[in-house]
Amino acid sequence: MRTPLYERHVALGGRMVDFAGWELPVQYPGGIVAEHMAVRQGVGLFDVSHMGELLVAGPEALPFLGRLLTNNLRRLSAGRAVYAPMCHENGGTVDDLIVYPYEGAYLLVVNAANTDKDFAHISALAAGFRVTVRNVSSAWGQLALQGPGAAALLAALPGGGAIAALPFFGCGLFPFLGITVFSSATGYTGGPGFEFYLPVGDAAGVWDILAEAGATPCGLGARDTLRLEGALPLYGHELADDISPLEAGLSRFVKFENDFLGRAALEKQAENGPPRRLVGLVMEGRAVPRAGYAVLFENRVCGTVTSGGVAPALGRNIALALVEAEGDGPYAVDIRGRAEATRLVPLPFYKG
């Protein structure tokens, strides 16, 4: 599949790869590090049109979402987005998503690889509620403008001032560049940023204007290194069907006053303590940790690296790892048969 910006990526020399069935740029000719630092020091522009968009509407939409999601949804009434995990009955994670209030309904933005799975899960659970669930992904393009320079760039464009003034996790419909866009201020880079949800046919024109205004086009590679520095979870790595939000360090997004699917399992896990926990590791040497590498404690395997790599803004090699709940290290990572020393650090690695 191709996003509405495929031709732009090719024209810019993007190195195209398959990601969840989508042809997307992993990087442009300048390279991942340059794109990463553009976001940390200025402003970067991402095509995230591959993300899934599901629309939930109806008189029981809000109670339904309370059953579906683990977080408290009160802020939705104040024009704010809410991040929330979505769980199986056994406490494992179906997906993590952001829910937005949208024209009397609720827009759920889900991970691209999980769109069909999520739609099936949500539709099945909706059977007992007066709601409709629609997959509107094919009608929407999505752009992300990220970095400390994003607000100033937006403020200089027609209609951009109101978007630039959004508070963190604020959202709404705005006239922008002669069209109407749904915008938010969430981000997936560990720093400030804005998102634009807009009709597929308008995506390329808005991309062109933002790029001409000075935003650096960025690919999937920089998106991953940025979110790793920010210790933001990626489904299939820090979260999965067999990894609970509590194990992934997301207890602040699990509110037990809600009768959500999976509550009983997570209450038991919270009472007894999760069997695993997510930790941040900085490599002491130059070895680069990668997802799937074994984590060692006293020369025995105690966990697995969920995400790892170079942190360009920190000048170090870092990893997120899921390890046994007991113990505080010191941990090592098994890299090609060598136990490479690490230092346990608080998360996130980078604070923007």
Side-chain angles (χ1 to χ4, degrees):
M1 294 180 286
R2 294 176 176 177
T3 76
L5 295 164
Y6 175 82
E7 299 297 337
R8 298 297 193 277
H9 302 319
V10 172
L12 289 168
R15 181 155 69 86
M16 309 303 286
V17 299
D18 177 85
F19 180 80
W22 292 86
E23 293 182 73
L24 291 165
V26 67
Q27 67 178 72
Y28 296 97
I32 292 173
V33 172
E35 294 168 20
H36 183 112
M37 296 310 298
V39 175
R40 286 286 178 249
Q41 298 172 349
V43 56
L45 178 61
F46 298 82
D47 175 14
V48 283
S49 301
H50 59 296
M51 298 290 284
E53 290 90 12
L54 309 177
L55 200 61
V56 176
E60 293 183 338
L62 196 57
F64 168 64
L65 292 176
R67 175 63 174 157
L68 182 72
L69 304 174
T70 67
N71 204 353
N72 193 300
L73 303 175
R74 284 193 297 263
R75 292 204 314 169
L76 290 172
S77 62
R80 298 289 185 93
V82 172
Y83 169 82
M86 177 169 62
C87 288
H88 296 286
E89 191 166 6
N90 66 4
T93 309
V94 179
D95 203 358
D96 64 327
L97 56 89
I98 296 180
V99 55
Y100 300 92
Y102 178 76
E103 293 196 305
Y106 299 95
L107 178 67
L108 280 57
V109 178
V110 303
N111 286 292
N114 288 343
T115 301
D116 291 341
K117 164 191 164 183
D118 289 356
F119 181 64
H121 174 85
I122 294 168
S123 297
L125 197 63
F129 294 84
R130 291 182 295 157
V131 298
T132 60
V133 182
R134 291 192 296 136
N135 184 350
V136 296
S137 305
S138 62
W140 292 60
Q142 185 187 155
L143 309 180
L145 191 72
Q146 304 286 302
L153 186 152
L154 274 178
L157 296 172
I163 301 172
L166 280 171
F168 188 51
F169 267 67
C171 60
L173 284 163
F174 298 92
F176 180 58
L177 302 177
I179 62 172
T180 299
V181 301
F182 184 74
S183 288
S184 60
T186 61
Y188 190 57
T189 61
F194 303 90
E195 297 76 41
F196 305 88
Y197 300 89
L198 65 173
V200 165
D202 293 325
V206 173
W207 169 280
D208 290 344
I209 292 171
L210 294 174
E212 289 167 5
T216 299
C218 300
L220 293 173
R223 191 167 185 252
D224 193 52
T225 56
L226 289 158
R227 72 93 193 165
L228 176 57
E229 285 186 346
L232 298 169
L234 175 63
Y235 193 87
H237 292 253
E238 288 71 45
L239 289 168
D241 290 316
D242 61 350
I243 302 174
S244 80
L246 300 185
E247 291 177 304
L250 300 175
S251 60
R252 63 193 183 280
F253 302 113
V254 177
K255 308 299 184 185
F256 289 115
E257 64 265 28
N258 300 343
D259 185 25
F260 59 83
L261 185 67
R263 184 180 73 171
L266 292 185
E267 282 181 327
K268 183 176 180 180
Q269 196 173 97
E271 180 180 350
N272 297 330
R276 300 173 293 182
R277 65 190 182 108
L278 193 71
V279 297
L281 304 175
V282 173
M283 304 303 296
E284 295 286 15
R286 298 177 64 182
V288 181
R290 300 296 184 191
Y293 286 5
V295 178
L296 309 175
F297 174 67
E298 295 182 342
N299 293 317
R300 68 174 182 84
V301 175
C302 68
T304 305
V305 171
T306 56
S307 297
V310 178
L314 306 175
R316 302 300 298 270
N317 299 329
I318 61 175
L320 293 170
L322 198 63
V323 301
E324 296 169 352
E326 298 297 326
D328 288 312
Y331 298 108
V333 177
D334 185 340
I335 301 180
R336 293 182 292 276
R338 291 175 56 91
E340 300 286 353
T342 76
R343 177 165 46 91
L344 185 66
V345 297
L347 296 174
F349 301 101
Y350 175 91
K351 293 182 180 180

